[in-house]
Amino acid sequence: MTARSRKKLPSANHLVRLGVVGLGNMGSVHARSILEGRVPGGTLAAVCDVDTKRTEGFGEALRFDDAEAMFVCGTVDAVVIAVPHPFHAPLGKSAFRAGLEVLMEKPLTVHKAEALELIAASKGRLFAVMFNQRTDPCFQKVRALIQGGSLGTIRRFTWTITDWFRTHAYYRSSPWRASWKGEGGGVLINQAVHNMDLLQWIFGMPAHVRAVCGFGKFHPIEVEDEVTALLQYDAGTSGVFITTSGEAPGINRLEIAGDNGLLVLDGESLRFRKNEVPTPEFSRTCKTGYARPAVWEVEIPLPGGRGPQHEGILRNFVNAILHDEALIAPGAEGLRSLELINAILMSAVEDRTVDLPLSAPRFARLLKKLQSQKP
């Protein structure tokens, strides 16, 4: 995406005039960040929500209760869309038709077929997705170590992230939550979508998925609130992903085993048990049956904090518009995490291994069937 392919910004002071659609939990946070000047180069030009009371208190920003009207009003250059999942695709496509740049809250859409349509509609426009955890220095370091070859060939990884705990009250807070019609899934598409994005960002996409899910196991909901998935890669790597919104206190632990040792990210602690001799070489050359390679215990220093998170993605989006800065989380990459989520759900519901790339029409039919069932 180059500056030449986008319209010239009309703002005399070269500020990107941003509109925020949807002022619920996250949308209001994004609007407040822009309004309070924490997104240099951007100004809050308009806000929109079907509940007009939510649009109050945002300074001089124009107020709308109709997103389509905001898109064509001529006072915004780009929009942040933070509405319930089923509205992501239709509103995103409308914004692109109006010639706007788009930052979409996660997930990209509800299912792969919709995502493909949305990505196609974005041609010629700048498109980003709110995968804020890509700004976390812990995950950036893990990715750099793997891509730099520090671990050698990756043999397996296990990610147990069970600190997405949610109460019954959380699921009662909005009628669209925790339903096939309202969210298109549960813990995977709402909370662990971040981990699905990081997983593919760090390890790439698997070739096969086999999963079991608990649907309404811990809460009175119809969608999944517990997941265990086995991911198999063509290169021989295997991965296990475990998540739930029904366990407390929970844990967030990522183990990565490679020929050169074991990397463990536990909370904000990153440790590398580095083999002095790579495992395959040691196994091949050692003369005794029970020996193990000597290891160096390395505590890898990390910057304090979790990085700029949501504001970092907002700043990057504005800088991409103004200065052609590379996007941290391009919209097209949101397809990958969504495809993983769809594959895990399909595997669990149909009790079979699902091969990737996923058949988008087949999952769309499955989701429609789930949505038609009485709760």
Side-chain angles (χ1 to χ4, degrees):
M1 179 66 66
T2 64
R4 186 178 301 171
S5 65
R6 298 195 299 270
K7 65 183 179 181
K8 184 177 179 181
L9 295 177
S11 309
N13 58 357
H14 301 291
L15 291 175
V16 178
R17 301 174 302 174
L18 294 162
V20 177
V21 183
L23 296 168
N25 291 341
M26 290 313 307
S28 59
V29 169
H30 301 327
R32 192 65 57 188
S33 294
I34 300 164
L35 180 65
E36 294 176 357
R38 297 196 296 274
V39 185
T43 184
L44 186 64
V47 292
C48 176
D49 198 285
V50 293
D51 182 350
T52 55
K53 290 183 179 179
R54 289 181 173 181
T55 64
E56 298 172 357
F58 290 98
E60 298 180 2
L62 297 180
R63 298 164 56 193
F64 293 85
D65 61 5
D66 181 349
E68 303 285 349
M70 174 196 278
F71 296 159
V72 299
C73 71
T75 60
V76 295
D77 308 305
V79 291
V80 181
I81 297 177
V83 295
H85 306 166
F87 302 104
H88 285 197
L91 287 181
K93 287 187 282 188
S94 293
F96 289 132
R97 284 195 297 269
L100 303 176
E101 326 295 355
V102 173
L103 172 57
M104 185 71 71
E105 252 298 348
K106 55 77 182 171
L108 192 61
T109 64
V110 174
H111 60 82
K112 182 181 177 180
E114 275 190 338
L116 291 171
E117 293 176 359
L118 182 59
I119 292 167
S122 72
K123 186 176 181 180
R125 306 256 52 93
L126 194 141
F127 185 25
V129 62
M130 183 59 82
F131 282 128
N132 50 285
Q133 293 199 20
R134 290 192 184 194
T135 71
D136 191 317
C138 295
F139 297 119
Q140 291 177 344
K141 187 63 175 179
V142 169
R143 185 172 186 258
L145 288 169
I146 291 175
Q147 292 193 335
S150 296
L151 274 78
T153 300
I154 303 302
R155 298 302 180 184
R156 64 122 187 135
F157 63 85
T158 303
W159 198 344
T160 303
I161 175 155
T162 58
D163 59 358
W164 287 121
F165 181 71
R166 296 293 186 271
T167 66
H168 287 24
Y170 169 83
Y171 290 111
R172 291 194 299 264
S173 66
S174 296
W176 60 274
R177 290 199 184 280
S179 68
W180 294 116
K181 289 183 179 179
E183 286 193 292
V187 66
L188 281 173
I189 204 164
N190 199 343
Q191 287 85 31
V193 61
H194 289 292
N195 310 105
M196 292 286 97
D197 174 64
L198 291 169
L199 190 151
Q200 66 80 25
W201 190 55
I202 293 170
F203 302 106
M205 291 291 283
H208 314 284
V209 173
R210 189 69 169 91
V212 291
C213 294
F215 296 94
K217 183 173 180 178
F218 301 106
H219 309 87
I221 59 177
E222 62 185 18
V223 293
E224 85 287 352
D225 55 5
E226 182 184 62
V227 176
T228 301
L230 172 63
L231 313 176
Q232 296 174 299
Y233 290 74
D234 282 338
T237 302
S238 62
V240 175
F241 181 78
I242 300 169
T243 193
T244 180
S245 59
E247 178 180 314
I251 194 172
N252 186 357
R253 180 182 174 91
L254 174 60
E255 296 181 0
I256 308 167
D259 287 348
N260 294 343
L262 178 69
L263 186 68
V264 178
L265 178 61
D266 193 347
E268 295 183 3
S269 169
L270 184 60
R271 302 185 306 279
F272 185 18
R273 302 191 68 198
K274 180 175 173 56
N275 294 332
E276 291 187 7
V277 178
T279 303
E281 180 184 347
F282 185 86
S283 181
R284 185 177 61 253
T285 60
C286 183
K287 304 302 182 184
T288 62
Y290 295 95
R292 299 183 183 185
V295 298
W296 301 333
E297 300 281 354
V298 182
E299 186 81 22
I300 299 176
L302 295 168
R306 299 183 58 218
Q309 294 290 318
H310 299 92
E311 288 181 9
I313 297 294
L314 284 166
R315 293 171 198 155
N316 171 246
F317 179 57
V318 167
N319 285 334
I321 295 171
L322 291 176
H323 310 300
D324 280 338
E325 181 175 289
L327 287 173
I328 294 172
E333 292 187 14
L335 176 65
R336 301 171 192 167
S337 55
L338 185 64
E339 185 166 15
L340 276 174
I341 291 167
N342 290 173
I344 290 171
L345 290 174
M346 177 176 278
S347 175
V349 171
E350 298 186 349
D351 191 22
R352 67 181 181 89
T353 297
V354 173
D355 299 328
L356 298 180
L358 176 76
S359 169
R362 181 165 181 170
F363 183 81
R365 291 193 296 270
L366 173 62
L367 182 59
K368 186 175 181 180
K369 179 180 177 181
L370 292 169
Q371 290 173 337
S372 67
Q373 295 176 354
K374 292 183 180 180

